[in-house]
Amino acid sequence: MTIPASSDVPTVRTLSVPTADLRDGLAGASPAVDVVLWDFQGAPEGLDPADLDAAVLPYTGRDHLDGALDAAPNLRLVQTQSTGYDGVPDLVGPEVAIATAAGVHAAATAELAVGLALASLRGIDDAVRQQAEGRWHSARYPGLADRRVLLVGVGGIGEEIRRRLDTFEAKVTRVGSVARDDALGHVHGSDELVDLAPHHDVVVVITPLTDATRGLIGKDVLAALPDGALVVNVARGAVVDTEALTREVVAGRLKAALDVVDPEPLPEGHPLWNAPGVIITPHVGGNTGAFPPRILALLRRQVGLLGRGQEPANLVRRGPWG
């Protein structure tokens, strides 16, 4: 086996993090990597930004970061604290690698997806409103058991959602970018969504936002769903056509449980805010008490890999790692 010369191996010796908690938590992770604080409001702590090799982005992603990374022209790697990385390639040149926090948010996002489905399908949202009015009204709701669920997205979080849906005895149909078979059975392609939609009671969306998935759950897919079907979106708002969904929901034909919307947040007075059958949470899918220790564990692993001259985990754009 040929071992590449050291000059061929990308070197990361300085890494910035956006919070003091992360800086302190990474102390001692590798003697070969200096970890400094950079909150993107000023210069990195005690370091010329031109000497910075890698940067961890804020949890909120690219918000308010346009142009901020231009101060660090020699970056080799940016690390997100989110699973998605939409918009991040716009912040740095194509030669910079991008790594995500894949896996960190899987359990939390999956539990919210199932929680939103349960809340809607068991009428918990109605019960909360009735409680506020001091009104007792018992009714029969569909429930999750035996519901036919169309799961759009078969990555790590999608699999965590599938496992939880299986526990609740739902009947799950998986949809990926292309049709294929795996160890769990058949995965349908996204080009089959219109044909699949009429045979499902619930759609759960957890696919990444890309050019191919923007508007994937559009007017044709939504129109093909049966009356009373529920749309759960814990992916990115733009994967679902907001205008088409709003029409269907306001008409009373579909229900929706949304952790993400497009635009985000919805403007004041938008019909979805007060539409019957709609639950909206403010993009909190991965934001639980499990997040801080899990992101720290991932970053400690990354720092260890970088300090040993090894390839970082979760690369979605390889940059100098080729």
Side-chain angles (χ1 to χ4, degrees), residues 40-41 60-66 68:
F40 301 97
Q41 302 302 308
T60 52
R62 63 157 295 158
D63 290 352
H64 315 300
L65 289 184
D66 287 343

Side-chain angles (χ1 to χ4, degrees), residues 121-141:
L121 293 169
R122 291 304 305 267
I124 295 172
D125 55 330
D126 290 341
V128 169
R129 284 188 284 267
Q130 291 157 13
Q131 179 182 344
E133 299 167 358
R135 183 162 56 92
W136 180 281
H137 176 70
S138 181
R140 177 173 292 166
Y141 287 88

